[in-house]
Structure formats: C-alpha cells, structure tokens
Amino acid sequence: MAHTCTSAAFGAELSTARRRQEGMLRHHLAVAVNCDPSTVAYAEMGRIPRRQTVVRMAEVLGLDPGYLLLLAGYAPQDLSPAQARKILNTIRRVRGA
C-alpha cells in the first residue's frame, strides 16, 4: 500500500515525532503500539505498516491520526473517495512525484 511520494514523508514525520518524545526509543514505541521494533524501524524508513498500526502510532506520539494516515497513503475513513484522491494528488504534486 506504499505510495512512493508519501512514504518518505511518512517515515520522516514518524521519526521526527518519536524523537520529540524525550527518551522514546524505537523499542518503547513498539511496545506502546504492540508491534515488533522492526516495524517501527521499517516505518521510519518509509515502509508503510497496516492502517491500524499507523493509527496507533499517531495516538501514542500525539499526532493527528488522519494526518499520519494521509502521509502513509491511507484515506481517513471520514473522507469520500473523491476527497481522498484530491488530497493525495495534492501531496504528490507538492512532493514533486
């Protein structure tokens, strides 16, 4: 489900948000999210995890889940398909993909 134009932005945002949490290591985030530490490491490199994992990561890191879902290439559930396509196209255009 990875979208090239958004996966790098997703990984960078996740990594930055984790570092903002003083003392939070990848292992700590993995425990809080209930996933393997390699999932966190791969996510920070831009590999998109399952939708529910993205939502849980956002909650643990204090990020807006809808924002992180969009960066991961998922549409928040309250958006229509047309709205989601429009937003993703905007992201692609801004990222130069």
Side-chain angles (χ1 to χ4, degrees), residues 44-78:
E44 288 184 354
M45 290 186 285
R47 183 183 282 176
I48 308 299
R50 291 178 297 134
R51 178 187 189 90
Q52 188 55 40
T53 303
V54 173
V55 170
R56 190 71 187 109
M57 287 174 167
E59 292 169 348
V60 169
L61 294 171
L63 298 173
D64 175 15
Y67 171 70
L68 202 58
L69 283 169
L70 283 173
L71 287 179
Y74 293 110
Q77 293 180 345
D78 59 343

Side-chain angles (χ1 to χ4, degrees), residues 73-93:
Y74 293 110
Q77 293 180 345
D78 59 343
L79 290 179
S80 72
Q83 290 172 314
R85 277 190 302 277
K86 183 177 179 181
I87 291 169
L88 287 173
N89 286 335
T90 301
I91 291 170
R92 288 183 183 113
R93 191 174 59 251

Side-chain angles (χ1 to χ4, degrees), residues 14 16 18 20-21 28 33 42 59 70 77 80 83:
L14 186 64
T16 299
R18 183 182 56 79
R20 274 189 236 136
Q21 302 290 326
H28 298 139
V33 172
Y42 284 129
E59 292 169 348
L70 283 173
Q77 293 180 345
S80 72
Q83 290 172 314

